[in-house]
C-alpha cells in the first residue's frame, strides 16, 4: 500500500486495556476527519481482533454524539489478538501464527487509506510492525500507567490519579477515626507513576513503587515514629509492581495470549501483614483495581485526548505515518513509533516528584 496515496477514508481502533478518554479521542478523530478534511471514518471493533476478523462499523458525527464524558470505548478493546502472534488450533493443539496479511485484506475491503491506532506499549508495538510491513499508521498514546516513552503524559493517567487520590482522601478519614494503618494498592504495572503522584496528592505517609525496592523495616520505622508523635494512623500507598529489596513482584495471574501475560497484584496484603505483625496496629488493605480504569475522564484527560485525536488526523493528512502524537511540554508533536516501543518509561530516580516526596518526609521504603 503506497503511503503517498491521497487519504479519503481513515480507520480507527482502540487496543489494550481501556483508559478514560478513549471515547474523547474517537470523537475528536471523527469530528476533525469529517469537518476539517471531508474524510469518512470506519471504526474497527475490539482492538486488533476487529481488523483480523473484519468487524467494523462506519463512524459518523451522529455516532459520537454524547461520548466525550463517557468512560470505556464505544469500539470495544482487548489486550489479546496480536496479528503477528495469533493463536489457532491445529490438530487439537494451540499454535501461534502470523495473520497480519488479513489486516491488509480487510483494510482494502473497507477502502481505508490510513489507520489510527490508540493504544499502550503492546498495541503501539504492533502498530510499528504493521507500519514496517507497509500499513500507513499513526499512533495515539493511551494508558492509565503513564509508562510510555517519548511522551510527557498519556491520556487516562490523570483520571486514574484522581480516582486514587479520592480513595486516599476517603481512607484518611476512616483511618484517623479508627487509629488504623490503611494500605492502598494501586495499578501501574512496572511503573510507579500512579502510586507516587496519588501518594503526594493524597498526603500518604509511605509510598512504595517498583523503581525503589523497599525495606519493610523502613516502613515500620515510619509508622512507629508517627505513633510517637501522637499520629495514631498512617496511610501507605503501594504500587502493584512494588517489591522488597532482593524480592520479586507479586504475580496475581497469567492471562494467556495477552500482549503481556503477567497480571500483578497482592503486594498490598503482603505489606499490610508485615506492618500489622511488627507494629501491633490494625492494618487494612484496599485494592483499587479496575476502578482506576473506569468512569468519566477528568477535564484534563478530555482535553489531552481531544488534542491527541485532532493531532492524529493532522499527522495522517501530512502523511507522517509511523509516528505517534505526543505531549512535549505544552505542545502536541509527532515522534517516531520506533522511539516509543521496546521499553517502558519508569519514574527516574532523580525525578522532581521523588525529591518532593522526600522533602515532605514521605517514606519511600529505602
Ligand atoms: O496497563 C493498564 C493496567 O490497568 C495496569 O495498570 C494493570 O496492571 C493491567 O492493566 C491490568 O490488566 P487487566 O485489565 O487485564 O487485568
Amino acid at each position: 500500500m503506497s503511503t503517498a496515496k491521497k487519504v479519503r477514508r481513515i480507520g480507527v481502533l482502540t487496543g489494550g486495556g481501556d483508559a478514560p478518554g478513549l471515547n474523547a479521542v474517537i470523537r475528536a478523530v471523527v469530528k476533525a476527519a469529517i469537518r476539517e478534511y471531508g474524510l469518512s471514518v470506519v471504526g474497527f471493533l475490539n482492538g486488533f481482533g476487529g481488523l483480523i476478523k473484519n468487524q467494523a462499523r462506519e463512524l459518523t458525527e451522529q455516532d459520537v454524539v454524547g461520548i466525550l464524558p463517557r468512560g470505556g470505548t464505544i469500539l470495544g478493546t482487548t489486550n489479546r489478538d496480536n496479528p503477528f502472534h495469533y493463536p489457532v488450533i491445529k490438530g487439537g493443539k494451540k499454535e501461534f501464527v502470523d495473520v497480519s496479511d488479513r489486516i491488509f485484506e480487510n483494510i482494502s475491503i473497507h477502502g481505508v487509506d490510513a489507520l489510527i491506532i490508540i493504544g499502550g506499549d503492546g498495541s503501539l508495538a504492533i502498530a510499528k510492525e504493521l507500519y514496517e510491513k507497509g500499513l500507513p499508521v499513526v499512533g495515539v498514546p493511551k494508558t492509565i500507567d503513564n509508562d510510555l516513552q517519548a511522551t510527557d503524559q498519556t491520556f487516562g493517567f490523570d483520571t486514574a490519579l484522581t480516582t486514587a487520590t479520592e480513595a486516599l482522601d476517603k481512607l484518611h478519614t476512616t483511618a484517623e477515626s479508627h487509629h488504623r494503618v490503611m494500605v492502598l494498592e494501586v495499578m501501574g504495572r512496572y511503573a510507579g507513576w500512579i502510586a507516587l503522584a496519588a501518594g503526594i496528592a493524597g498526603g500518604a505517609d509511605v509510598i512504595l513503587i517498583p523503581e525503589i525496592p523497599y525495606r519493610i523495616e523502613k516502613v515500620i520505622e515510619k509508622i512507629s515514629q508517627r505513633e510517637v508523635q501522637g499520629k495514631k494512623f498512617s496511610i501507605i500507598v503501594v504500587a502493584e509492581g512494588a517489591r522488597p529489596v532482593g524480592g520479586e513482584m507479586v504475580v496475581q495471574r497469567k492471562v494467556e495470549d495477552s500482549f503481556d501475560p503477567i497480571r500483578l497484584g497482592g503486594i498490598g496484603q503482603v505489606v499490610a501483614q508485615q506492618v500489622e505483625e511488627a507494629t501491633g496496629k490494625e492494618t487494612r488493605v484496599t485494592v483499587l483495581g479496575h476502578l482506576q480504569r473506569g468512569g468519566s475522564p477528568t477535564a484534563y484527560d478530555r482535553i489531552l485526548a481531544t488534542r491527541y485525536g485532532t493531532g492524529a488526523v493532522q499527522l495522517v493528512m501530512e502523511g507522517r505515518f509511523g509516528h505517534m502524537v505526543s505531549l512535549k511540554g505544552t505542545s502536541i508533536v509527532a515522534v517516531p513509533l520506533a522511539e516509543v516501543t521496546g521499553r517502558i518509561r519508569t519514574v527516574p530516580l532523580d525525578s522532581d516528584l521523588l525529591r518532593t516526596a522526600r522533602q515532605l518526609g514521605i517514606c519511600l521504603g529505602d
Side-chain angles (χ1 to χ4, degrees):
M1 190 178 291
S2 161
T3 53
K5 192 176 162 190
K6 184 167 169 25
V7 175
R8 291 205 167 79
R9 184 163 167 78
I10 60 172
V12 59
L13 74 83
T14 53
D18 68 344
L22 280 168
N23 283 326
V25 181
I26 295 168
R27 172 179 174 271
V29 165
V30 169
K31 278 181 170 269
I34 294 173
R35 285 172 172 255
E36 182 80 9
Y37 302 106
L39 310 176
S40 62
V41 186
V42 58
F44 289 94
L45 307 182
N46 305 320
F48 291 99
L51 265 183
I52 296 165
K53 296 173 217 153
N54 193 17
Q55 298 162 338
R57 59 180 266 210
E58 190 73 22
L59 290 174
T60 65
E61 281 201 80
Q62 193 54 36
D63 293 308
V64 298
V65 169
I67 70 169
L68 175 63
R70 210 192 296 169
T73 159
I74 59 165
L75 293 176
T77 190
T78 176
N79 41 28
R80 299 167 197 240
D81 295 341
N82 179 346
F84 296 99
H85 192 69
Y86 191 73
V88 289
I89 305 294
K90 276 193 188 160
K93 281 175 74 185
K94 190 190 271 186
E95 279 181 26
F96 290 91
V97 293
D98 181 345
V99 295
S100 56
D101 285 343
R102 285 196 217 161
I103 288 182
F104 286 79
E105 286 160 23
N106 291 328
I107 286 281
S108 143
I109 287 171
H110 288 279
V112 164
D113 304 308
L115 185 64
I116 294 176
I117 295 176
I118 312 167
D121 62 338
S123 305
L124 294 175
I126 295 169
K128 177 175 157 273
E129 264 191 86
L130 287 171
Y131 169 69
E132 284 164 356
K133 203 174 166 177
L135 200 71
V137 161
V138 163
V140 177
K142 165 241 63 166
T143 167
I144 64 160
D145 303 334
N146 204 26
D147 63 351
L148 274 184
Q149 287 290 342
T151 184
D152 289 351
Q153 193 155 326
T154 55
F155 76 84
F157 171 66
D158 186 66
T159 308
L161 164 59
T162 302
T163 299
T165 304
E166 284 168 5
L168 285 172
D169 288 349
K170 290 179 178 168
L171 288 175
H172 248 108
T173 58
T174 174
E176 193 167 6
S177 307
H178 284 265
H179 317 295
R180 284 174 172 159
V181 178
M182 289 292 192
V183 176
L184 179 69
E185 180 182 306
V186 297
M187 283 184 165
R189 276 203 315 176
Y190 310 114
W193 293 108
I194 298 177
L196 180 58
I200 293 173
D205 307 298
V206 179
I207 303 173
L208 304 179
I209 61 173
E211 293 83 350
I212 304 178
Y214 67 86
R215 293 184 190 280
I216 198 69
E217 312 85 67
K218 295 286 177 188
V219 177
I220 292 161
E221 198 178 293
K222 174 73 184 175
I223 290 158
S224 306
Q225 274 171 10
R226 283 177 55 80
E227 197 74 13
V228 170
Q229 293 164 349
K231 297 169 183 163
K232 303 288 180 196
F233 72 98
S234 291
I235 303 288
I236 304 177
V237 184
V238 185
E240 62 181 0
R243 63 187 170 90
V245 172
E248 299 295 326
M249 293 181 184
V250 181
V251 175
Q252 191 199 58
R253 61 161 73 197
K254 291 196 176 156
V255 181
E256 246 203 290
D257 308 345
S258 176
F259 304 159
D260 174 2
I262 302 293
R263 292 295 174 276
L264 300 168
I267 187 67
Q269 190 60 47
V270 173
V271 169
Q273 207 167 323
Q274 289 175 319
V275 167
E276 184 165 287
E277 276 166 20
T279 63
K281 286 194 73 68
E282 190 175 359
T283 305
R284 298 294 184 90
V285 186
T286 301
V287 179
L288 205 47
H290 292 83
L291 286 175
Q292 292 157 100
R293 292 234 302 257
S296 187
T298 57
Y300 180 91
D301 269 340
R302 292 180 200 189
I303 294 168
L304 183 60
T306 300
R307 294 176 77 197
Y308 277 157
T310 55
V313 178
Q314 196 181 322
L315 288 193
V316 165
M317 297 316 288
E318 290 168 359
R320 299 182 74 187
F321 300 115
H323 282 73
M324 179 188 85
V325 282
S326 148
L327 180 72
K328 286 282 166 75
T330 55
S331 304
I332 301 293
V333 300
V335 292
L337 282 171
E339 282 180 23
V340 181
T341 56
R343 69 206 156 98
I344 59 161
R345 188 173 74 102
T346 51
V347 177
L349 292 180
D350 62 352
S351 92
D352 181 61
L353 269 185
L354 280 177
R355 204 168 21 250
T356 302
R358 287 189 198 283
Q359 286 179 3
L360 291 175
I362 296 172
C363 168
L364 298 168
D366 57 348

